[in-house]
Amino acid sequence: MAYFTIFASRNHNHDLDGLIQDVFRDKFKISGSAEGTRQVEIQPKGWFNRGRVTIRVADEDSDPGYFENNIPGMMGFYQAIPFEDGDLQHRVMMQISVINTMLAIETEKELRQEDQRLFVQLAGKVDGICFLPDGTLLDRDGRAIVTPDGKSGPAEFRPRACTKKVRGEDRSTPEGLARKQRSLAYIKEKGIPLLETLPELPPLEELRVKSREEIARRAVALLIVIQYACDIAQDGDLRESREFVEEMLDKFGVKDELTAAERDLLEQAEPASRDAINITWQYEAYWALLWALGVLDELGLPVETCDCDFAINVVASCESFDEFLEKTTLRRPEEIADEADKMYRLHWACVNERIKGQPAPAGMNESIVVERRRALFWMIGYRDEAWDDISMDT
C-alpha cells in the first residue's frame, strides 16, 4: 500500500464527485461516491492495470471526530519540525488550523510518478495541500512547501481559508444585502474587479460600533506609538524617543489604550525594524479613524498615503485629550459600516490581482487598503476582534 493525503479548507464538497471524475475518468473506472458513501473506488482500465486506488473523503460535517482527533496531532508534528524559515512555519500552522476537508488516497501498489501527478492535479482542483507519509508537504501544484528536516521547498506558499471556516456559514440580511449592493455599485463605477459572491457584513444590530471616545483614544494612542516606530525605522535616538512617547501617553491619558503589539515595541531593548515598519504603516489606519471622527471630509480610493504632517498636527495642536475630543464628531454607524464593507471588497480586488502577478487595480496600494480595513473593522466591532487580530481574509 502507498498513501497520499490531500487536506483543504472548503465551503462545501458537493462538487467532489465531479472533480474526481475530471481527473481520473480517462484512464480509470470509478465507482462509489464522495458525496454518498464517502469513499470512491478507482480501478484502472485495461488488462495490465496498476492496481486499485481508493479515495476516502471526510469533512467536518460528515466526520467531525476525525478532525478533532487528528488536526491537533498534525499541528504538533509541524510545530516540532525545526523550520529554517519561522514565517513559513507560522503559515503552515495557520493552514492546518483551518483544514476542514480530507481526501485520503490509498493505492494497492507502489506510488508511481504518474499516480502522484494525478493526485496533485486533484489537489489543485480542491485547492488543497498534499501530505506525504514522510511528512513532506506539497502545494496545490506539487511543489514542496517544507521537507521533514525543516528545509523550505520552492513553493511560494500562502494559506487558504474558506469563508465558512473563518466566519461560519454565510447568510444574508436586508441591511447587509443593501450595503453590499452599494459597495458593488461604487466598485463597478471605478472599473475595479469584484467578486459578487463575497459575503455580506452583519447588520448593525449584530455589531458593536465603538463610541466617539473609544475611537478618539485609540487614535491618539496609535499616533503617539507611530512616532516611536518612525524613530526606530530611521535609526533615531530611541532613549530620547521613548521618553517623549511615555510623556505624551501620560499627558493625553491613553497609556491603557495601547495594544499588545504596541506595548511590546515600547518594551523591547532592541526593537525589531520589521515590527516598527508594520506599525508605521498604521498611519493609514489612524487616517481612517480621523475620517470616522469627522476630522476628514472623505477617505477616497486608497491610492496615496496620508498627509502625515496634518495627521500629527491634529493631536499635537491640543493640550489634552479632552481638547482633541471636542474637535471630533462621530459619523453615523451606517457610514462607517458602509466604508468597512467597501474596503473589504477593495481588499479582495487587490489580493486577486496580486495572486495573478498584477499590480493592484486603479492604482490602489494594498498596504493602505489593509490598514484602513483594520481600523474600519475594529470600529464596527466585527466579530469583536482586537486591533492586532483583525482578520484579513478575502
Side-chain angles (χ1 to χ4, degrees), residues 68-107:
E68 291 173 6
N69 295 328
N70 289 281
I71 293 303
M74 189 174 181
M75 294 189 75
F77 177 81
Y78 285 101
Q79 185 69 52
I81 287 179
F83 278 66
E84 62 181 7
D85 181 345
D87 180 61
L88 177 60
Q89 183 175 36
H90 175 74
R91 282 180 271 141
V92 167
M93 299 297 287
M94 185 181 299
Q95 180 65 76
I96 295 171
S97 73
V98 295
I99 286 172
N100 65 359
T101 300
M102 181 274 298
L103 290 81
I105 305 174
E106 299 178 3
T107 65

Side-chain angles (χ1 to χ4, degrees), residues 212-249:
R212 178 167 68 110
E213 183 169 342
E214 286 177 301
I215 295 172
R217 287 189 175 280
R218 175 88 283 264
V220 174
L222 178 59
L223 176 66
I224 293 171
V225 173
I226 287 173
Q227 306 317 302
Y228 181 62
C230 288
D231 283 346
I232 295 171
Q234 297 168 7
D235 296 323
D237 184 333
L238 296 191
R239 180 179 177 181
E240 180 180 332
S241 180
R242 191 181 288 111
E243 289 175 355
F244 171 78
V245 166
E246 293 286 351
E247 179 184 338
M248 290 299 101
L249 290 171

Side-chain angles (χ1 to χ4, degrees), residues 20-30 42-51 53 112 114-115 117-118 121:
I20 292 172
Q21 290 277 350
D22 287 346
V23 173
F24 295 99
R25 66 179 153 208
D26 288 345
K27 298 181 179 179
F28 296 82
K29 299 175 183 178
I30 303 172
I42 302 174
Q43 185 71 41
K45 297 177 181 178
W47 290 356
F48 302 102
N49 62 62
R50 297 181 297 278
V53 175
R112 305 189 324 164
E114 182 180 351
D115 297 325
R117 181 182 60 78
L118 291 172
Q121 187 178 341

Side-chain angles (χ1 to χ4, degrees), residues 10 15-24 122 125-127:
R10 313 190 82 223
D15 59 347
L16 280 182
D17 284 340
L19 297 179
I20 292 172
Q21 290 277 350
D22 287 346
V23 173
F24 295 99
L122 179 59
K125 288 186 176 293
V126 303
D127 201 12

Side-chain angles (χ1 to χ4, degrees), residues 160-287:
R160 299 168 184 265
C162 66
T163 55
K164 174 181 176 181
K165 189 67 178 175
V166 175
R167 289 187 299 269
E169 294 286 355
D170 295 332
R171 66 186 184 87
S172 181
T173 65
E175 180 188 325
L177 179 59
R179 178 172 293 115
K180 174 179 176 177
Q181 289 174 337
R182 288 194 294 271
S183 295
L184 293 180
Y186 171 87
I187 294 169
K188 286 178 181 177
E189 181 184 345
K190 300 294 183 182
I192 296 171
L194 52 84
L195 182 64
E196 296 271 3
T197 57
L198 207 61
E200 303 166 12
L201 296 187
L204 285 170
E205 64 180 15
E206 297 179 16
L207 300 170
R208 193 190 77 78
V209 180
K210 302 294 190 294
S211 68
R212 178 167 68 110
E213 183 169 342
E214 286 177 301
I215 295 172
R217 287 189 175 280
R218 175 88 283 264
V220 174
L222 178 59
L223 176 66
I224 293 171
V225 173
I226 287 173
Q227 306 317 302
Y228 181 62
C230 288
D231 283 346
I232 295 171
Q234 297 168 7
D235 296 323
D237 184 333
L238 296 191
R239 180 179 177 181
E240 180 180 332
S241 180
R242 191 181 288 111
E243 289 175 355
F244 171 78
V245 166
E246 293 286 351
E247 179 184 338
M248 290 299 101
L249 290 171
D250 289 337
K251 175 181 176 179
F252 286 91
V254 293
K255 196 168 187 176
D256 290 343
E257 312 304 324
L258 297 177
T259 70
E262 292 161 2
R263 290 180 188 278
D264 183 59
L265 187 73
L266 288 173
E267 292 170 359
Q268 289 178 23
E270 297 183 6
S273 177
R274 172 51 56 188
D275 292 341
I277 291 171
N278 288 342
I279 288 182
T280 60
W281 267 110
Q282 291 187 26
Y283 253 129
E284 304 302 332
Y286 168 74
W287 197 247

